[in-house]
Amino acid sequence: MASVTSLTASVHQRLATALTATLPQAAADPLLRRSDRADYQANGILALAKKAKANPRELAAQVVDKVVTGDLIEDVEVSGPGFLNITVTDRAITGNLAARAADPEGRLGVPYAEDPGTTVIDYAQPNVAKEMHVGHLRSAVIGDSVVKLLEFTGESVVRRHHIGDWGTQFGMLIQYLDEHPHELDHKAAEVTGEEAMSNLDRLYKTARRLFDSDEEFKTRARRRVVDLQAGDPHTLAMWQKFVDESKIYFFSVFEKLDMEIRDPDIVGESGYNEMLQETCRLLEESGVAVRSEGALCVFFDDIKGPDGNPVPLIVQKSDGGFGYAATDLSAIRDRVFHLKADTLLYVVDARQALHFKMVFETARRAGWLGDGVKAIQLAFGTVLGKDGKPFKTREGETVRLVDLLDEAIERASAVVREKAQDLSEEEIAERGAQVGIGAVKYADLSTSASRDYKFDLDQMVSLHGDTSVYLQYAYARIQSILRKAGEVRPAAHPELALADAERALGLHADQFAETVAETAAEYAPHKLAAYLYQLASLYTSFYDKCPVLKAETPEQVENRLFLCDITARTLHQGMALLGIRTPERL
């Protein structure tokens, strides 16, 4: 099905035609926007009048004379110094929504991108042998939503989970366990998932303390890293065991987050080992990187430390070891030349901005990021506690992600149980998980990624305000109305006049396609979240002011059911793009 042209686009085109007819030599952009004074307001005439040295109100009047009205536009009036206030017809609103509802693909008329490419998105990057904590939440949630948005618009998306599975920490952990084999007494054959990971995490912290305090152990651990990199069978087998056990745990956490993480998409630091030497050779031979005090470095004129000296990107250390930069640059080579990506998207903590700025610039100098390839860090802020400080436990420890999610589900289940009228305990548990996880995701996604946000479960699971529960409740309420309607089905009646609340809801619902396109283009899920909250709010106003099943005529009942249905479908699709479920009953 061809995409449905939105009312905004149609009105814009109609006004642009009238402007061109009035001022043929002008670049006619009416600068159209939604308005609280009418359905739309056009502000472009002021700038055009200035260029043409014309009186803006007189020019506006001339444009109004040339606007075709009747089918789409009901009325245009000049306001203030030369603004145009535009009202569209009720018929156009209902007719456009009917066209969206008729989309056989169920996309509500949302078009595919005109020129889709291939995006490799790097997100959800936990560390092997370490438990996931609150700091891992944002990359996973934001990344998953961006994947869904891009795929929905037709982009070819390659997911990459660049897990921390290589380096000094594994030499340290393997050496410690070789020297203290009894400490692996956690019945490894029987224990998997969270409990096994908790044990590994504890052992890692113990090994780290020893590494930091015992120089001889540190030397032995570093030798073990060399063994690992050289492929020593015993060391490699131990490492593989940690990776496999950690993956089982990762999958369990991501499943709780209602996210799909596929094993082939997990390509950690170790996945680029064989490329590291060549990456360094290419950088050195091209002159992009130079040796400095034995290390291979890239220098930048605009990046200096507090002492005024240049801060380099260290690709290879003086001892021959490779830094994160070598791995990240090798990953860029793989993603551009092997995966044929034209966009590289990294959903990574804002605190790594300088590192990625240097990595991207290095890759550009080396010719790996050419004119046709974009590399973007989708930087995100910090999760804060209610006190506005980085989220920690009372003991000052980083909060485990599993504990947060379990508490969210528990709180949400209590809300569902309180509202539930005919749900079984099994259904309450299922809805509780959908509402709780949805609440956590929405709190994150409704905030601009670059901003910090407060993790406040009381607010997140509230039925009031800008929460996913509010949106889910609006959806469930609509489903309840549609069930009560029995054999009366939703049907659009463009010939009917619309009440103000119906018009407001209809005009907003019609903006879904534009919102999805803008959200995907800017990698900005918070814009879709804001749109959906406004949609639910307008629906609440419509519900309060416009009786549905007790409307005055059978046609009005069907038309209001149609408005309910298109709203529900828009909420359902929009929430799905955020990775949030919409239960039929709450």
Side-chain angles (χ1 to χ4, degrees), residues 445-519:
L445 296 171
S446 59
T447 305
S448 172
S450 60
R451 292 177 53 198
D452 300 342
Y453 79 96
K454 292 182 182 180
F455 196 95
D456 182 349
L457 276 176
D458 290 330
Q459 172 59 28
M460 288 179 188
V461 300
S462 171
L463 280 164
H464 309 288
D466 190 2
T467 68
S468 69
V469 191
Y470 177 69
L471 273 63
Q472 288 169 322
Y473 187 67
Y475 177 82
R477 173 189 274 172
I478 295 173
Q479 296 308 314
S480 174
I481 291 171
L482 294 173
R483 285 192 297 272
K484 287 176 184 174
E487 294 182 6
V488 181
R489 305 312 306 147
H493 285 277
E495 74 279 3
L496 292 180
L498 298 176
D500 288 346
E502 292 175 293
R503 290 179 57 83
L505 178 61
L507 283 164
H508 191 72
D510 188 61
Q511 290 182 290
F512 181 59
E514 291 164 335
T515 304
V516 169
E518 181 183 353
T519 299

Side-chain angles (χ1 to χ4, degrees), residues 328-387:
D328 288 333
L329 288 163
S330 297
I332 286 176
R333 288 176 54 215
D334 178 66
R335 292 166 186 185
V336 172
F337 300 115
H338 176 235
L339 298 176
K340 308 297 184 188
D342 39 50
T343 302
L344 306 180
L345 189 60
Y346 294 78
V347 189
V348 183
D349 192 317
R351 289 170 291 191
Q352 295 190 45
L354 179 60
H355 170 77
F356 278 99
K357 178 183 178 183
M358 293 194 289
V359 165
F360 295 161
E361 177 58 27
T362 299
R364 284 189 193 95
R365 291 181 187 179
W368 303 335
L369 286 177
D371 293 340
V373 185
K374 295 182 295 184
I376 301 162
Q377 182 194 359
L378 179 48
F380 56 82
T382 304
V383 180
L384 307 174
K386 288 184 185 180
D387 58 2

